[in-house]
Amino acid sequence: MQHLIDKANTLMEALPYIRRFSGKTVVIKYGGHAMADETLKESFALDVILLKSLGINVVVVHGGGPQINETLKRYGIVSEFVRGMRVTDSQTMAVVEMVLTGQVNKEVVGYLNQHGGRAVGLSGKDGSLLLCEKMLQEVKADDGTVEMVDIGYVGNVVKVNQELIQTLEHGKFLPVIAPVGVGVNGESYNINADVVAGRIAGALRAEKLMLLTDVSGVKDKAGKLLSSIALADVPRLIDDATISGGMIPKVECCVDALNEGAKKAHIVDGRVQHAVLLEIFTDVGVGTEITQ
């Protein structure tokens, strides 16, 4: 009997969150180990479908770096990176677009629909969803001087056509978005998936932005997880190297989303089963939240 009571208590803990988030939008960046492990893939699909069934509007933005690397290798194309960003010439861009929109996007959509969802696959080129301009990467030389480097067809999102997403939400569909954008002349751009998720969350004024990662979240100098960070504290934590390395662009993406209208942002350990539900429907949550 006790295990049944425990289940009931779990549902009661979730009830206020269900009430709070019903009708609201949650943008989830789906990537890393959660996309590769079969158990985690199923866990993610069921989490998302449960959210939709509870009246929460979910928008999924997926990555695809490992799949791109594998395909480029198969074609004999060598990738170069500048400060973590892939140098994307026209040949590389063709492969990136093929993999993200023709392979990964369809796999994610198919998996969600197989588990009972109503997912619709999009790229940023559909309906001019993600209008981009060329991004120049900032590189600091040993002497401290800064140079802006052209790394090819890598884009910054300058406008999100949120009406397209909202139309799908009103029809109770689940948008699944590949991080490929379009320029003013119709050219394709490769965009960082975290950045896409953040810009969409800001444009939709989402209740939550969730970045699924392969780490537990932001940790302090002693290695203890920081469950919550105030927006105003982020510059100090970057300056003192509490936030460092690959965590910096993720946190900056969260900051941008909050400044553009999102309510909360979360960096969540996607290696944990049902991480999405645990973050939204429990008092403790998982990972690190960044709040206004």
Side-chain angles (χ1 to χ4, degrees), residues 7 27 49 84 92 110 113 183 190 209 219 265:
K7 286 184 179 180
V27 178
I49 292 163
T92 302
N113 289 343
N190 182 19
L209 164 67
K219 296 181 179 179

Side-chain angles (χ1 to χ4, degrees), residues 29-32 34-36 41 44 60-71 74 86 95-113 119-123 175-180 193:
K29 186 273 179 153
Y30 178 46
M35 285 184 71
K41 284 167 64 176
F44 174 78
V60 175
V61 177
H62 65 78
Q67 295 91 330
I68 292 170
N69 291 338
E70 181 181 333
T71 305
R74 197 160 61 240
R86 189 190 305 273
V95 173
V96 167
E97 187 168 8
M98 176 185 71
V99 171
L100 289 177
T101 65
Q103 176 188 335
V104 180
N105 188 268
K106 304 311 176 190
E107 288 176 359
V108 176
V109 167
Y111 206 78
L112 288 167
N113 289 343
V120 175
L122 301 166
S123 81
V176 178
I177 300 168
V180 173

Side-chain angles (χ1 to χ4, degrees), residues 122-232:
L122 301 166
S123 81
K125 297 178 73 174
D126 293 315
S128 298
L129 175 59
L130 301 172
L131 184 63
C132 291
E133 63 182 9
K134 180 187 284 286
M135 186 186 82
L136 299 177
Q137 182 68 305
E138 183 180 289
V139 177
K140 186 177 290 187
D142 293 338
D143 61 3
T145 59
V146 174
E147 181 183 3
M148 304 306 292
V149 178
D150 186 340
I151 53 176
Y153 292 96
V154 177
N156 270 327
V157 179
V158 295
K159 184 179 179 182
V160 176
N161 177 11
Q162 65 262 37
E163 292 180 7
L164 175 57
I165 298 174
Q166 289 165 343
T167 297
L168 290 170
E169 288 180 340
H170 291 155
K172 302 191 183 304
F173 290 100
L174 200 168
V176 178
I177 300 168
V180 173
V182 62
V184 292
N185 296 314
E187 66 274 32
S188 298
Y189 281 104
N190 182 19
I191 323 168
N192 179 280
D194 290 340
V195 171
V196 171
R199 292 304 307 276
I200 289 174
L204 295 174
R205 299 190 176 277
E207 197 68 22
K208 286 181 180 288
L209 164 67
M210 298 179 62
L211 305 180
L212 297 188
T213 69
D214 286 343
V215 295
S216 56
V218 180
K219 296 181 179 179
D220 64 16
K221 295 291 186 65
K224 182 181 177 182
L225 179 69
L226 296 173
S227 60
S228 184
I229 297 174
L231 187 63

